[in-house]
Amino acid sequence: TMQSSGHRFRDVEHHPLLADNNDYDSSSSSSEADMAERVWFIRDGCGMVCAIMTWLLVVYADFVVTFVMLLPSKDFWYSVINGVLFNCLAVLALSSHLRTMLTDPGAVPKGNATKEYMDNLQLKPGEVIYKCPKCCSIKPERAHHCSICKRCIRKMDHHCPWVNNCVGEKNQRFFVLFTMYIALISAHALVLCGFQFFSCVRGQWTECSDFSPPVTVILMIFLCLEGFLFLTFTAVMFGTQIHSICNDETEIERLKSEKPTWERRLRWEGMKSVFGGQPSLLWINPFAGFRIRRLLLRGKKGGPEFSV
């Protein structure tokens, strides 16, 4: 019999083997461990195009800032300080993008809704759990199925084509950092464009750039449009993500107006659960927790896992 959404979620919540932070059983734990030893990547054509476009747009912005605005400048320290700052922010933004795209967002093991597994759960008479008919998985509380990733994702917020991945329990931190750093370099690029236009007009476009005045104007206009659009989009997304984290509510849950059946964390506890531990510089470091040796071992144990 069909259960109401609230009843179903309560049943899932009260079953210890289906809690978000617990393992399923020995067999599913081993499968999750095997999955963790592989690189996560989704083979979605639209997502891959969007991800490549993101990198190309950042590279374009870096080219215009470096070769059109900073290198021709006569102010040495102005060029050095702004060049180092912009390129550092660009590296942090692209690193956050990579980690968001290549991190398992919290996928539920496929096909674990078997009779043997159901017997291992030792369900009480009348106890109800939810099975996803699309990926044949036992669905934990607050998990949702993604039709693009073809998996149920724990605490799925949304699927973002720009990072070619879902934003979920395990990679939300990197997505937040990605939106923050893109917003920062966009704002920085707009400020530099303003100074450059003022400098060029005051100097009547003589020695303003190594490029001709028409080419310089076209490159800077495109950069301004790109910077404005990306700043608006990522700033709004960053604010939305922080709001969701503080309210312990995903975007899907907000849009569906789902009544919370879980105990919501306090705002500060929500931030610590996503970013890890007490506030520190590690919160804004996309390299935190990254191990090159572990990545090399993953490649030897079976290579990347595509379209899991």
Side-chain angles (χ1 to χ4, degrees), residues 258-276:
E258 293 184 358
K259 186 177 180 181
T261 57
W262 61 93
E263 184 178 352
R264 285 187 170 179
R265 295 186 178 97
L266 299 175
R267 292 185 177 184
W268 199 241
E269 292 300 320
M271 292 290 289
K272 288 194 292 186
S273 69
V274 171
F275 289 92

Side-chain angles (χ1 to χ4, degrees), residues 11-183:
D11 290 331
V12 171
E13 179 185 9
H14 290 151
H15 200 286
L17 292 179
L18 296 179
D20 283 348
N21 296 324
N22 293 333
D23 294 327
Y24 292 94
D25 59 9
S26 58
S27 59
S28 63
S29 297
S30 61
S31 64
E32 285 191 335
D34 292 339
M35 186 171 62
E37 294 300 325
R38 301 181 182 180
V39 177
W40 176 275
F41 184 78
I42 301 301
R43 286 192 300 183
D44 174 57
C46 176
M48 289 188 284
V49 170
C50 289
I52 292 172
M53 284 180 58
T54 301
W55 276 67
L56 291 178
L57 288 170
V58 173
V59 170
Y60 170 78
D62 190 65
F63 169 79
V64 176
V65 168
T66 302
F67 293 98
V68 177
M69 291 191 267
L70 296 181
L71 287 182
S73 175
K74 295 180 180 179
D75 190 333
F76 175 77
W77 289 111
Y78 172 83
S79 300
V80 170
I81 293 174
N82 283 286
V84 170
L85 177 60
F86 188 89
N87 281 277
C88 285
L89 290 175
V91 169
L92 290 171
L94 294 179
S95 300
S96 301
H97 182 273
L98 269 181
R99 295 213 67 182
T100 307
M101 182 170 61
L102 301 179
T103 299
D104 173 7
V108 178
K110 262 186 179 180
N112 65 347
T114 62
K115 184 179 184 303
E116 294 77 14
Y117 177 62
M118 300 288 285
D119 292 338
N120 289 334
L121 288 178
Q122 298 179 349
L123 299 174
K124 299 176 182 177
E127 189 172 5
V128 177
I129 58 175
Y130 185 63
K131 170 187 172 182
C132 177
K134 297 178 181 179
C135 59
C136 196
S137 301
I138 299 298
K139 202 171 185 179
E141 182 189 24
R142 305 185 70 183
H144 293 273
H145 184 87
C146 175
S147 59
I148 299 175
C149 295
K150 297 180 176 61
R151 297 289 286 273
C152 284
I153 308 296
R154 290 189 181 98
K155 289 183 67 176
M156 176 182 169
D157 188 85
H158 68 288
H159 184 94
C160 179
W162 294 103
V163 297
N164 189 32
N165 201 2
C166 277
V167 177
E169 185 178 62
K170 295 183 180 179
N171 68 346
Q172 187 176 24
R173 168 176 170 258
F174 302 122
F175 181 75
V176 172
L177 294 182
F178 167 66
T179 58
M180 181 183 75
Y181 286 124
I182 289 293

Side-chain angles (χ1 to χ4, degrees), residues 238-300:
F238 174 79
T240 302
Q241 288 292 302
I242 295 298
H243 181 266
S244 296
I245 293 171
C246 290
N247 287 343
D248 194 14
E249 181 182 49
T250 66
E251 187 66 13
I252 291 179
E253 292 164 350
R254 187 185 68 81
L255 292 175
K256 288 185 174 183
S257 300
E258 293 184 358
K259 186 177 180 181
T261 57
W262 61 93
E263 184 178 352
R264 285 187 170 179
R265 295 186 178 97
L266 299 175
R267 292 185 177 184
W268 199 241
E269 292 300 320
M271 292 290 289
K272 288 194 292 186
S273 69
V274 171
F275 289 92
Q278 296 297 325
S280 69
L281 290 178
L282 294 177
W283 277 25
I284 59 174
N285 178 14
F287 301 102
F290 180 73
R291 297 290 184 271
I292 296 180
R293 183 172 179 271
R294 184 184 301 172
L295 186 62
L296 294 175
L297 288 175
R298 286 176 181 174
K300 294 178 181 179

Side-chain angles (χ1 to χ4, degrees), residues 176-197:
V176 172
L177 294 182
F178 167 66
T179 58
M180 181 183 75
Y181 286 124
I182 289 293
L184 289 175
I185 64 173
S186 299
H188 192 192
L190 289 173
V191 171
L192 291 176
C193 281
F195 278 114
Q196 187 71 10
F197 272 119

